[in-house]
Amino acid sequence: MTLVFFIVRVLSIPIYWYKVYTVLDSHLWLKMKNFRYIMIFTCILLDIINLFWFSKLFKGAKIVWTTNWRYYEKHHK
């Protein structure tokens, strides 16, 4: 789950911002006026949330991978 979350949500962040950068000088982008700032702010906020949740998922996955399951099964019945 962590790997898929990374690929779909985190790895796509730079690709998305590159696409935004490529349309900054377009006529339609300039025509949107204040709405473009709302779009940028919303996307930044969602990127921060995605990075926050990925850090949580990564920490959990790290705990699962480093846990000695034989010891855990023996002592936590």
Coordinates of all heavy atoms in Angstrom, one line a residue:
M1 N 0.8 -1.2 0.0 CA 0.0 0.0 0.0 C 0.9 1.3 0.0 O 0.6 2.2 -0.7 CB -0.9 0.0 1.2 CG -1.8 1.1 1.3 SD -2.9 1.0 2.7 CE -3.2 2.7 3.1
T2 N 1.9 1.2 0.8 CA 2.8 2.4 0.8 C 3.5 2.6 -0.5 O 3.6 3.8 -0.9 CB 3.9 2.1 1.9 OG1 3.3 1.9 3.2 CG2 4.8 3.4 2.1
L3 N 3.9 1.6 -1.2 CA 4.5 1.8 -2.5 C 3.6 2.3 -3.5 O 3.9 3.3 -4.3 CB 5.1 0.4 -3.0 CG 5.8 0.5 -4.3 CD1 7.0 1.4 -4.3 CD2 6.2 -0.9 -4.7
V4 N 2.3 1.8 -3.5 CA 1.3 2.3 -4.5 C 1.0 3.8 -4.1 O 0.9 4.6 -5.0 CB 0.1 1.4 -4.4 CG1 -1.0 2.1 -5.3 CG2 0.4 0.1 -5.0
F5 N 0.9 4.1 -2.8 CA 0.6 5.5 -2.4 C 1.7 6.4 -2.9 O 1.5 7.5 -3.4 CB 0.4 5.6 -0.9 CG -0.1 6.9 -0.4 CD1 -1.4 7.1 -0.3 CD2 0.8 8.0 -0.1 CE1 -1.9 8.3 0.2 CE2 0.3 9.2 0.3 CZ -1.1 9.3 0.5
F6 N 3.0 6.0 -2.8 CA 4.1 6.8 -3.2 C 4.0 7.0 -4.7 O 4.2 8.1 -5.2 CB 5.4 6.1 -2.8 CG 6.6 6.8 -3.4 CD1 7.1 7.9 -2.8 CD2 7.3 6.3 -4.5 CE1 8.2 8.6 -3.3 CE2 8.4 6.9 -5.0 CZ 8.8 8.1 -4.4
I7 N 3.8 5.9 -5.5 CA 3.8 6.1 -6.9 C 2.7 7.0 -7.4 O 2.9 7.9 -8.2 CB 3.7 4.7 -7.6 CG1 5.0 3.9 -7.3 CG2 3.4 4.8 -9.1 CD1 4.9 2.4 -7.7
V8 N 1.5 6.8 -6.9 CA 0.3 7.5 -7.4 C 0.2 8.9 -6.8 O -0.1 9.9 -7.5 CB -1.0 6.7 -7.0 CG1 -2.2 7.5 -7.4 CG2 -1.0 5.4 -7.7
R9 N 0.5 9.1 -5.5 CA 0.3 10.4 -4.9 C 1.6 11.3 -4.8 O 1.5 12.5 -5.0 CB -0.3 10.2 -3.5 CG -1.6 9.5 -3.5 CD -2.7 10.5 -3.7 NE -4.0 9.9 -3.7 CZ -4.9 10.3 -2.8 NH1 -4.7 11.2 -1.9 NH2 -6.1 9.7 -2.8
V10 N 2.7 10.7 -4.5 CA 3.9 11.5 -4.2 C 4.7 11.6 -5.5 O 5.2 12.7 -5.7 CB 4.7 10.8 -3.1 CG1 6.0 11.6 -2.8 CG2 3.9 10.8 -1.8
L11 N 4.9 10.6 -6.2 CA 5.7 10.7 -7.4 C 5.1 11.6 -8.5 O 5.8 12.1 -9.3 CB 6.0 9.3 -8.0 CG 7.1 9.1 -8.9 CD1 8.4 9.5 -8.2 CD2 7.2 7.6 -9.4
S12 N 3.8 11.7 -8.4 CA 3.1 12.5 -9.4 C 3.2 14.0 -9.1 O 2.9 14.9 -9.9 CB 1.6 12.1 -9.5 OG 1.0 12.4 -8.3
I13 N 3.6 14.4 -7.9 CA 3.7 15.8 -7.5 C 4.6 16.6 -8.4 O 4.2 17.6 -9.0 CB 4.0 16.0 -6.0 CG1 2.9 15.5 -5.1 CG2 4.4 17.4 -5.7 CD1 3.2 15.4 -3.7
P14 N 5.9 16.2 -8.6 CA 6.7 17.0 -9.5 C 6.2 17.0 -11.0 O 6.4 18.0 -11.7 CB 8.1 16.4 -9.4 CG 8.0 15.2 -8.5 CD 6.6 15.1 -8.0
I15 N 5.6 15.9 -11.4 CA 5.1 15.9 -12.8 C 4.0 16.9 -12.9 O 3.9 17.7 -13.9 CB 4.6 14.5 -13.1 CG1 5.8 13.5 -13.1 CG2 3.9 14.4 -14.5 CD1 5.4 12.0 -13.1
Y16 N 3.1 16.9 -11.9 CA 2.0 17.9 -12.0 C 2.5 19.3 -12.0 O 2.0 20.2 -12.8 CB 1.0 17.7 -10.8 CG 0.0 18.8 -10.6 CD1 -1.1 18.8 -11.4 CD2 0.2 19.8 -9.7 CE1 -2.0 19.9 -11.4 CE2 -0.7 20.9 -9.6 CZ -1.8 20.9 -10.4 OH -2.7 21.9 -10.3
W17 N 3.4 19.7 -11.1 CA 3.9 21.0 -11.0 C 4.7 21.4 -12.3 O 4.7 22.6 -12.7 CB 4.7 21.3 -9.8 CG 3.8 21.3 -8.6 CD1 3.7 20.4 -7.6 CD2 2.9 22.4 -8.3 NE1 2.7 20.8 -6.7 CE2 2.2 22.0 -7.1 CE3 2.5 23.6 -8.9 CZ2 1.2 22.8 -6.6 CZ3 1.6 24.4 -8.4 CH2 0.9 24.0 -7.2
Y18 N 5.3 20.5 -12.9 CA 6.0 20.8 -14.2 C 4.9 21.1 -15.3 O 5.1 22.1 -16.0 CB 6.8 19.6 -14.7 CG 7.3 19.8 -16.1 CD1 8.4 20.6 -16.3 CD2 6.7 19.1 -17.2 CE1 8.9 20.8 -17.6 CE2 7.2 19.3 -18.5 CZ 8.3 20.2 -18.7 OH 8.7 20.4 -19.9
K19 N 3.8 20.4 -15.3 CA 2.7 20.7 -16.2 C 2.1 22.1 -16.0 O 1.8 22.8 -16.9 CB 1.6 19.6 -16.2 CG 2.1 18.3 -16.6 CD 2.3 18.3 -18.1 CE 2.6 16.9 -18.6 NZ 2.8 16.9 -20.0
V20 N 2.0 22.4 -14.7 CA 1.5 23.7 -14.3 C 2.5 24.8 -14.8 O 2.0 25.8 -15.4 CB 1.3 23.9 -12.8 CG1 1.0 25.3 -12.4 CG2 0.1 23.0 -12.4
Y21 N 3.7 24.6 -14.6 CA 4.8 25.5 -15.1 C 4.7 25.7 -16.6 O 4.9 26.9 -17.1 CB 6.1 25.0 -14.6 CG 7.3 25.9 -15.1 CD1 7.5 27.1 -14.5 CD2 8.1 25.5 -16.1 CE1 8.5 27.9 -14.9 CE2 9.1 26.3 -16.6 CZ 9.3 27.5 -16.0 OH 10.4 28.3 -16.4
T22 N 4.4 24.7 -17.3 CA 4.4 24.8 -18.8 C 3.2 25.6 -19.3 O 3.3 26.1 -20.4 CB 4.4 23.4 -19.5 OG1 3.2 22.7 -19.1 CG2 5.7 22.7 -19.2
V23 N 2.2 25.8 -18.5 CA 1.0 26.6 -19.0 C 0.9 27.9 -18.3 O -0.1 28.7 -18.6 CB -0.3 25.8 -18.7 CG1 -0.3 24.5 -19.5 CG2 -0.6 25.6 -17.3
L24 N 1.9 28.3 -17.6 CA 1.8 29.6 -16.9 C 1.7 30.8 -17.8 O 1.1 31.8 -17.4 CB 3.0 29.8 -16.0 CG 3.0 29.0 -14.7 CD1 4.3 29.3 -13.9 CD2 1.8 29.3 -13.8
D25 N 2.2 30.7 -19.0 CA 2.2 31.8 -19.9 C 1.1 31.7 -21.0 O 1.0 32.6 -21.9 CB 3.5 31.9 -20.7 CG 4.6 32.4 -19.8 OD1 4.3 33.0 -18.7 OD2 5.8 32.1 -20.1
S26 N 0.2 30.7 -20.8 CA -0.8 30.6 -21.8 C -1.9 31.6 -21.6 O -2.1 32.2 -20.6 CB -1.4 29.1 -21.7 OG -2.2 29.0 -20.5
H27 N -2.6 31.8 -22.7 CA -3.7 32.8 -22.7 C -4.8 32.4 -21.7 O -5.3 33.3 -21.0 CB -4.3 32.9 -24.1 CG -5.4 33.9 -24.2 ND1 -5.3 35.2 -24.0 CD2 -6.7 33.7 -24.5 CE1 -6.5 35.8 -24.1 NE2 -7.4 34.9 -24.4
L28 N -5.2 31.1 -21.7 CA -6.3 30.7 -20.8 C -5.9 30.8 -19.3 O -6.7 31.2 -18.5 CB -6.6 29.2 -21.1 CG -7.3 29.0 -22.4 CD1 -7.5 27.5 -22.6 CD2 -8.7 29.7 -22.4
W29 N -4.6 30.6 -19.0 CA -4.2 30.7 -17.6 C -4.3 32.2 -17.2 O -4.7 32.5 -16.1 CB -2.8 30.2 -17.5 CG -2.2 30.3 -16.1 CD1 -1.3 31.2 -15.7 CD2 -2.5 29.4 -15.0 NE1 -1.0 31.0 -14.3 CE2 -1.7 29.9 -13.9 CE3 -3.3 28.3 -14.8 CZ2 -1.8 29.3 -12.7 CZ3 -3.4 27.7 -13.6 CH2 -2.6 28.2 -12.5
L30 N -3.9 33.1 -18.0 CA -3.9 34.5 -17.7 C -5.4 35.0 -17.6 O -5.7 35.9 -16.8 CB -3.1 35.3 -18.7 CG -1.6 35.0 -18.7 CD1 -1.0 35.7 -19.9 CD2 -1.0 35.3 -17.4
K31 N -6.2 34.4 -18.3 CA -7.6 34.8 -18.4 C -8.4 34.4 -17.1 O -9.4 34.9 -16.8 CB -8.3 34.1 -19.6 CG -9.5 34.8 -20.1 CD -9.9 34.2 -21.4 CE -11.2 34.8 -21.9 NZ -11.6 34.2 -23.1
M32 N -7.9 33.4 -16.3 CA -8.6 32.9 -15.1 C -8.5 33.8 -14.0 O -9.2 33.7 -13.0 CB -8.0 31.5 -14.8 CG -8.4 30.5 -15.8 SD -8.0 28.8 -15.3 CE -6.9 28.8 -14.1
K33 N -7.6 34.8 -14.0 CA -7.4 35.8 -13.0 C -7.2 35.2 -11.6 O -6.3 34.5 -11.4 CB -8.5 36.8 -13.1 CG -8.6 37.5 -14.4 CD -9.4 38.7 -14.4 CE -9.4 39.2 -15.8 NZ -9.7 40.5 -16.0
N34 N -8.1 35.5 -10.6 CA -7.9 35.1 -9.3 C -8.2 33.6 -9.0 O -7.7 33.1 -8.0 CB -8.8 36.0 -8.3 CG -8.4 37.4 -8.2 OD1 -7.2 37.7 -8.4 ND2 -9.3 38.3 -8.0
F35 N -8.9 33.0 -9.9 CA -9.2 31.6 -9.7 C -7.9 30.8 -9.8 O -7.8 29.7 -9.1 CB -10.2 31.1 -10.8 CG -10.6 29.7 -10.6 CD1 -11.4 29.3 -9.6 CD2 -10.2 28.8 -11.6 CE1 -11.7 28.0 -9.4 CE2 -10.6 27.4 -11.4 CZ -11.3 27.1 -10.3
R36 N -6.9 31.2 -10.5 CA -5.7 30.5 -10.6 C -4.9 30.4 -9.3 O -4.3 29.4 -9.0 CB -4.8 31.0 -11.7 CG -4.4 32.4 -11.5 CD -3.6 33.0 -12.7 NE -3.5 34.4 -12.5 CZ -3.0 35.2 -13.4 NH1 -2.5 34.7 -14.5 NH2 -2.9 36.5 -13.2
Y37 N -5.1 31.5 -8.5 CA -4.4 31.5 -7.1 C -5.1 30.5 -6.2 O -4.5 29.8 -5.4 CB -4.4 32.9 -6.5 CG -3.7 33.9 -7.4 CD1 -4.3 34.9 -8.0 CD2 -2.3 33.7 -7.6 CE1 -3.6 35.8 -8.8 CE2 -1.6 34.6 -8.4 CZ -2.3 35.6 -9.0 OH -1.6 36.5 -9.8
I38 N -6.4 30.4 -6.3 CA -7.2 29.4 -5.6 C -6.7 28.0 -6.0 O -6.5 27.1 -5.1 CB -8.7 29.6 -5.7 CG1 -9.1 30.9 -5.2 CG2 -9.5 28.4 -5.1 CD1 -10.5 31.3 -5.5
M39 N -6.6 27.8 -7.2 CA -6.1 26.4 -7.7 C -4.7 26.1 -7.2 O -4.5 25.0 -6.7 CB -6.1 26.4 -9.2 CG -7.5 26.4 -9.9 SD -7.5 26.5 -11.6 CE -6.4 25.1 -12.1
I40 N -3.8 27.0 -7.2 CA -2.5 26.8 -6.8 C -2.5 26.5 -5.3 O -1.8 25.6 -4.8 CB -1.6 28.0 -7.1 CG1 -1.4 28.2 -8.6 CG2 -0.2 27.9 -6.4 CD1 -0.6 27.2 -9.3
F41 N -3.2 27.3 -4.5 CA -3.2 27.2 -3.1 C -3.8 25.8 -2.7 O -3.3 25.1 -1.8 CB -4.0 28.3 -2.4 CG -4.2 28.1 -0.9 CD1 -3.2 28.3 -0.1 CD2 -5.4 27.6 -0.4 CE1 -3.3 28.1 1.3 CE2 -5.6 27.4 0.9 CZ -4.6 27.7 1.8
T42 N -4.9 25.4 -3.3 CA -5.5 24.1 -3.1 C -4.6 23.0 -3.4 O -4.4 22.0 -2.6 CB -6.8 24.0 -3.9 OG1 -7.6 25.1 -3.6 CG2 -7.5 22.7 -3.6
C43 N -3.9 23.1 -4.5 CA -2.9 22.0 -4.9 C -1.8 21.9 -3.9 O -1.3 20.8 -3.6 CB -2.4 22.2 -6.3 SG -3.8 21.9 -7.5
I44 N -1.2 23.0 -3.5 CA -0.2 23.0 -2.5 C -0.6 22.4 -1.2 O 0.1 21.5 -0.6 CB 0.4 24.4 -2.2 CG1 1.2 24.9 -3.5 CG2 1.3 24.5 -1.0 CD1 1.6 26.4 -3.4
L45 N -1.8 22.7 -0.7 CA -2.4 22.2 0.5 C -2.6 20.6 0.4 O -2.2 19.9 1.3 CB -3.7 22.8 0.8 CG -4.4 22.4 2.1 CD1 -3.6 22.8 3.3 CD2 -5.8 23.0 2.2
L46 N -3.1 20.2 -0.8 CA -3.2 18.8 -1.0 C -1.9 18.0 -1.1 O -1.8 16.9 -0.6 CB -4.1 18.5 -2.2 CG -5.5 18.9 -2.1 CD1 -6.2 18.8 -3.5 CD2 -6.3 18.1 -1.0
D47 N -0.9 18.7 -1.6 CA 0.4 18.1 -1.7 C 1.0 17.9 -0.3 O 1.6 16.9 0.0 CB 1.4 18.9 -2.5 CG 1.1 18.8 -4.0 OD1 0.3 17.9 -4.4 OD2 1.6 19.7 -4.8
I48 N 0.8 18.9 0.6 CA 1.3 18.8 1.9 C 0.6 17.7 2.7 O 1.2 16.9 3.4 CB 1.1 20.2 2.7 CG1 2.0 21.2 2.1 CG2 1.3 20.0 4.2 CD1 1.7 22.6 2.5
I49 N -0.7 17.5 2.5 CA -1.4 16.5 3.1 C -1.0 15.1 2.6 O -0.8 14.2 3.4 CB -3.0 16.6 2.9 CG1 -3.5 17.9 3.6 CG2 -3.7 15.4 3.3 CD1 -4.9 18.3 3.3
N50 N -0.7 15.0 1.3 CA -0.2 13.7 0.8 C 1.1 13.4 1.3 O 1.4 12.2 1.6 CB -0.2 13.8 -0.8 CG -1.5 13.6 -1.4 OD1 -2.4 12.9 -0.9 ND2 -1.7 14.2 -2.6
L51 N 2.0 14.3 1.4 CA 3.3 14.1 2.0 C 3.2 13.7 3.5 O 4.0 12.8 4.0 CB 4.2 15.3 1.8 CG 4.6 15.6 0.4 CD1 5.4 16.9 0.3 CD2 5.5 14.5 -0.2
F52 N 2.3 14.3 4.2 CA 2.1 14.0 5.6 C 1.7 12.5 5.8 O 2.2 11.8 6.6 CB 1.1 14.9 6.2 CG 0.6 14.5 7.6 CD1 1.5 14.7 8.7 CD2 -0.6 13.9 7.8 CE1 1.1 14.3 10.0 CE2 -1.0 13.5 9.1 CZ -0.2 13.7 10.1
W53 N 0.7 12.1 5.0 CA 0.2 10.8 5.1 C 1.2 9.8 4.6 O 1.3 8.6 5.1 CB -1.2 10.6 4.3 CG -2.3 11.2 5.2 CD1 -3.0 12.2 4.9 CD2 -2.7 10.7 6.4 NE1 -3.9 12.5 5.9 CE2 -3.8 11.5 6.8 CE3 -2.4 9.6 7.2 CZ2 -4.5 11.3 8.0 CZ3 -3.0 9.4 8.4 CH2 -4.1 10.2 8.8
F54 N 2.0 10.1 3.6 CA 3.0 9.2 3.1 C 4.1 9.0 4.2 O 4.5 7.9 4.4 CB 3.7 9.7 1.9 CG 4.8 8.8 1.4 CD1 4.6 7.5 0.9 CD2 6.1 9.2 1.6 CE1 5.6 6.7 0.6 CE2 7.2 8.4 1.2 CZ 6.9 7.1 0.7
S55 N 4.4 10.1 4.9 CA 5.4 9.9 6.0 C 4.8 8.9 7.1 O 5.6 8.1 7.6 CB 5.8 11.2 6.6 OG 4.7 11.8 7.4
K56 N 3.5 9.0 7.4 CA 2.9 8.1 8.4 C 2.9 6.7 7.8 O 3.2 5.8 8.6 CB 1.5 8.5 8.6 CG 1.3 9.9 9.3 CD 1.6 9.7 10.8 CE 1.2 11.0 11.5 NZ 1.5 10.9 12.9
L57 N 2.6 6.5 6.6 CA 2.6 5.2 6.0 C 4.0 4.6 6.0 O 4.2 3.4 6.2 CB 2.0 5.2 4.6 CG 0.5 5.4 4.4 CD1 0.2 5.7 3.0 CD2 -0.2 4.1 4.9
F58 N 5.0 5.4 5.6 CA 6.3 5.0 5.6 C 6.9 4.5 6.9 O 7.5 3.5 7.1 CB 7.2 6.0 5.0 CG 8.7 5.6 4.8 CD1 9.0 4.8 3.7 CD2 9.7 6.0 5.6 CE1 10.3 4.3 3.5 CE2 10.9 5.6 5.4 CZ 11.3 4.7 4.4
K59 N 6.5 5.3 8.0 CA 7.0 4.9 9.3 C 6.3 3.6 9.8 O 7.0 2.8 10.4 CB 6.6 6.1 10.3 CG 7.5 7.3 10.2 CD 7.0 8.4 11.1 CE 7.7 9.7 10.9 NZ 7.3 10.8 11.7
G60 N 5.0 3.4 9.4 CA 4.4 2.2 9.8 C 5.0 1.0 9.0 O 5.2 -0.1 9.6
A61 N 5.2 1.2 7.7 CA 5.8 0.1 7.0 C 7.2 -0.2 7.5 O 7.6 -1.4 7.5 CB 5.9 0.5 5.5
K62 N 8.0 0.8 7.9 CA 9.3 0.6 8.4 C 9.2 -0.3 9.7 O 10.0 -1.2 9.9 CB 10.0 1.9 8.7 CG 11.4 1.9 9.1 CD 12.0 3.3 9.1 CE 13.2 3.3 9.9 NZ 13.7 4.6 10.1
I63 N 8.3 0.0 10.6 CA 8.1 -0.7 11.8 C 7.7 -2.2 11.5 O 8.3 -3.1 12.1 CB 7.0 -0.1 12.7 CG1 7.5 1.2 13.2 CG2 6.5 -1.0 13.8 CD1 6.4 2.1 13.9
V64 N 6.8 -2.4 10.5 CA 6.4 -3.7 10.1 C 7.6 -4.5 9.6 O 7.8 -5.7 9.9 CB 5.3 -3.7 9.1 CG1 5.0 -5.1 8.5 CG2 4.0 -3.2 9.8
W65 N 8.4 -3.9 8.8 CA 9.6 -4.6 8.1 C 10.7 -4.9 9.1 O 11.5 -5.8 8.9 CB 10.1 -3.8 6.9 CG 9.2 -4.0 5.7 CD1 8.4 -3.1 5.3 CD2 9.2 -5.2 4.9 NE1 7.7 -3.7 4.1 CE2 8.2 -4.9 3.9 CE3 9.8 -6.4 4.9 CZ2 7.9 -5.8 2.9 CZ3 9.5 -7.3 3.9 CH2 8.5 -7.0 2.9
T66 N 10.8 -4.1 10.2 CA 11.9 -4.3 11.1 C 11.5 -5.1 12.3 O 12.4 -5.4 13.2 CB 12.5 -2.9 11.6 OG1 11.5 -2.2 12.2 CG2 13.1 -2.2 10.4
T67 N 10.2 -5.4 12.5 CA 9.8 -6.2 13.6 C 10.2 -7.7 13.5 O 10.1 -8.3 12.4 CB 8.3 -6.1 13.7 OG1 7.9 -4.8 13.9 CG2 7.7 -6.9 14.9
N68 N 10.7 -8.2 14.5 CA 11.1 -9.6 14.6 C 9.8 -10.4 14.9 O 9.3 -10.5 16.0 CB 12.1 -9.9 15.6 CG 12.6 -11.3 15.6 OD1 12.0 -12.2 15.0 ND2 13.7 -11.6 16.4
W69 N 9.1 -11.0 13.8 CA 7.8 -11.6 14.0 C 7.9 -12.9 14.8 O 6.9 -13.2 15.5 CB 7.2 -11.8 12.6 CG 6.7 -10.5 12.1 CD1 7.3 -9.8 11.0 CD2 5.7 -9.7 12.5 NE1 6.7 -8.7 10.8 CE2 5.6 -8.6 11.7 CE3 4.7 -9.8 13.5 CZ2 4.7 -7.5 11.8 CZ3 3.7 -8.8 13.6 CH2 3.8 -7.7 12.8
R70 N 9.0 -13.6 14.7 CA 9.1 -14.8 15.6 C 9.1 -14.5 17.0 O 8.4 -15.1 17.8 CB 10.3 -15.6 15.2 CG 10.2 -16.2 13.8 CD 11.5 -17.0 13.5 NE 11.3 -17.5 12.2 CZ 12.3 -17.8 11.4 NH1 13.6 -17.6 11.8 NH2 12.1 -18.2 10.2
Y71 N 9.8 -13.4 17.4 CA 9.8 -13.0 18.8 C 8.4 -12.5 19.2 O 7.9 -12.8 20.3 CB 10.8 -11.9 19.0 CG 10.8 -11.3 20.4 CD1 11.5 -11.9 21.4 CD2 10.1 -10.1 20.7 CE1 11.5 -11.3 22.7 CE2 10.1 -9.5 21.9 CZ 10.8 -10.2 23.0 OH 10.7 -9.7 24.2
Y72 N 7.8 -11.7 18.3 CA 6.4 -11.2 18.6 C 5.4 -12.3 18.8 O 4.6 -12.3 19.8 CB 6.0 -10.3 17.5 CG 4.7 -9.6 17.8 CD1 4.6 -8.4 18.5 CD2 3.5 -10.1 17.2 CE1 3.4 -7.8 18.8 CE2 2.3 -9.5 17.5 CZ 2.2 -8.3 18.3 OH 1.0 -7.7 18.5
E73 N 5.4 -13.3 18.0 CA 4.5 -14.4 18.1 C 4.7 -15.2 19.4 O 3.8 -15.7 20.0 CB 4.5 -15.3 16.9 CG 4.0 -14.7 15.6 CD 4.2 -15.6 14.4 OE1 4.9 -16.6 14.5 OE2 3.6 -15.2 13.3
K74 N 6.0 -15.3 19.7 CA 6.3 -16.1 20.9 C 5.9 -15.5 22.2 O 5.4 -16.1 23.1 CB 7.8 -16.4 20.9 CG 8.3 -17.4 21.9 CD 9.8 -17.6 21.7 CE 10.3 -18.6 22.7 NZ 11.8 -18.8 22.5
H75 N 6.0 -14.2 22.3 CA 5.8 -13.4 23.5 C 4.5 -12.7 23.6 O 4.2 -12.1 24.6 CB 6.9 -12.5 23.8 CG 8.3 -13.2 24.0 ND1 8.4 -14.3 24.9 CD2 9.5 -13.0 23.4 CE1 9.7 -14.7 24.8 NE2 10.3 -13.9 23.9
H76 N 3.7 -12.6 22.5 CA 2.5 -11.8 22.5 C 1.3 -12.7 22.0 O 0.7 -12.4 21.0 CB 2.6 -10.6 21.7 CG 3.6 -9.6 22.2 ND1 4.9 -9.6 21.8 CD2 3.4 -8.6 23.1 CE1 5.5 -8.6 22.4 NE2 4.7 -8.0 23.2
K77 N 0.9 -13.6 22.8 CA -0.2 -14.5 22.4 C -1.5 -14.0 22.8 O -1.7 -13.3 23.7 CB 0.0 -15.9 22.9 CG 1.2 -16.6 22.2 CD 1.3 -18.0 22.7 CE 2.5 -18.6 21.9 NZ 2.7 -20.0 22.2

